[in-house]
């Protein structure tokens, strides 16, 4: 997927989908997915090769959050939130279809005016929205499902202004309730951590979060008893210059 415009004067704000099939195409194919007044942040997931996209229309009067998907033949667009103001410059929207996609999807985002971390869940064709936490100005987030099929979120606490204190938070859902914990507070030197988090689960079902230490400008890995740090410790480590996953074990 790419957000495409041939030139600023020719682009009308629509969400564009770009695809390339090596077996059939000799050049990239471009499709207009949704007519909007100004497509902004977006996130994409594939299900059986069909794209599903959460995208933000910042050009409309009320600023809308949409969900568009291809069923193999045609695109369908639904409104998730009809009055939302997103902010920040990082991983603003997170989209996951879940372990067993049956007309369901989950989208995570932060409301600018209230700093509310929100989870939008699609069941059938209807969307419901829940407020999970106050990010105190943070906007970055990453969504992943655990082994039980429950959504969990790593997100940044604290704003981006000079002198702000950022921490890495983890929102865990047990099927009924959300629990919020701090998983990296920056240590004794109060580093600004948790920027642009990326959440995955290892082969043992333990969460791993990669995120930026804004103070040291290093990549940081935080995990809970995971398989990649010190034989299974719960800790945070700076990884310089890169992290190499061993997928053979």
């Amino acid at each position: 997927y790419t957000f495409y415009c041939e030139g600023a004067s020719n682009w009308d704000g629509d969400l564009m989908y770009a695809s390339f099939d090596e077996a059939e195409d000799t050049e990239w194919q471009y499709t207009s997915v949704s007519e909007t007044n100004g497509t902004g942040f977006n996130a994409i997931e594939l299900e059986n090769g069909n794209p599903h996209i959460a995208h933000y229309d910042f050009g409309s009067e009320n600023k809308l959050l949409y969900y568009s998907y291809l069923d193999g033949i045609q695109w369908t667009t639904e409104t998730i939130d009809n009055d939302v103001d997103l902010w920040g410059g990082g991983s603003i929207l997170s989209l996951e279809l879940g372990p067993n996609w049956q007309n369901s999807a989950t989208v995570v985002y932060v409301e600018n005016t209230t700093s509310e971390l929100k989870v939008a869940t699609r069941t059938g064709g209807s969307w419901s929205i829940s407020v999970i936490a106050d990010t105190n100005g943070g906007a970055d987030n990453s969504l992943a499902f655990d082994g039980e099929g429950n959504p969990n979120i790593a997100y940044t606490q604290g704003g981006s202004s000079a002198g702000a204190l950022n921490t890495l938070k983890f929102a865990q859902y047990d099927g009924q309730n959300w629990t919020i914990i701090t998983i990296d507070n920056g240590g004794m030197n109060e580093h600004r951590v948790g920027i642009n988090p990326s959440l995955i689960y290892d082969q043992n079902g333990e969460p791993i979060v990669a995120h930026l230490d804004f103070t040291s400008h290093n990549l940081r890995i935080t995990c809970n008893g995971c398989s990649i740090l010190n034989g299974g410790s719960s800790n945070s480590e700076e990884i310089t210059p890169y992290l190499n996953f061993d997928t053979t074990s």
Side-chain angles (χ1 to χ4, degrees), residues 73-152:
I73 300 175
Q74 64 181 9
W75 286 91
T76 299
T77 297
E78 301 170 355
T79 300
I80 299 175
D81 195 331
N82 59 13
D83 189 7
V84 60
D85 184 14
L86 302 186
W87 68 341
S91 45
I92 306 301
L93 285 177
S94 294
L95 166 66
E96 289 287 343
L97 301 180
N100 299 301
W101 185 83
Q102 292 293 335
N103 295 321
S104 64
T106 303
V107 177
V108 175
Y109 57 101
V110 175
E111 173 71 48
N112 179 16
T113 54
T114 60
S115 293
E116 292 175 334
L117 179 71
K118 293 185 176 182
V119 173
T121 303
R122 182 182 190 267
T123 304
S126 300
W127 288 89
S128 60
I129 300 174
S130 301
V131 177
I132 306 304
D134 183 352
T135 68
N136 192 30
D140 298 346
N141 61 78
S142 180
L143 166 69
F145 287 84
D146 61 21
E148 302 298 322
N150 293 320
N152 296 281

Side-chain angles (χ1 to χ4, degrees), residues 50-67:
N50 291 323
H52 296 244
I53 307 171
H55 52 104
Y56 179 51
D57 181 3
F58 63 85
S60 60
E61 181 178 354
N62 292 331
K63 298 182 179 179
L64 304 173
L65 183 60
Y66 290 113
Y67 170 71

Side-chain angles (χ1 to χ4, degrees), residues 19-29:
S19 62
F20 185 87
D21 187 335
E22 292 183 348
E24 299 180 0
D25 300 329
T26 58
E27 60 184 21
W28 284 85
Q29 306 299 310

Side-chain angles (χ1 to χ4, degrees), residues 14-36:
D14 290 353
L15 176 71
M16 305 295 293
Y17 176 74
S19 62
F20 185 87
D21 187 335
E22 292 183 348
E24 299 180 0
D25 300 329
T26 58
E27 60 184 21
W28 284 85
Q29 306 299 310
Y30 300 97
T31 304
S32 179
V33 175
S34 177
E35 294 183 0
T36 66

Side-chain angles (χ1 to χ4, degrees), residues 134-185:
D134 183 352
T135 68
N136 192 30
D140 298 346
N141 61 78
S142 180
L143 166 69
F145 287 84
D146 61 21
E148 302 298 322
N150 293 320
N152 296 281
I153 308 163
Y155 68 93
T156 308
Q157 176 85 10
S160 58
S161 61
L165 178 63
N166 299 107
T167 58
L168 179 63
K169 295 282 189 175
F170 188 72
Q172 185 175 27
Y173 187 62
D174 62 7
Q176 293 184 322
N177 301 301
W178 288 91
T179 300
I180 311 295
I181 60 174
T182 299
I183 57 176
D184 195 337
N185 61 10

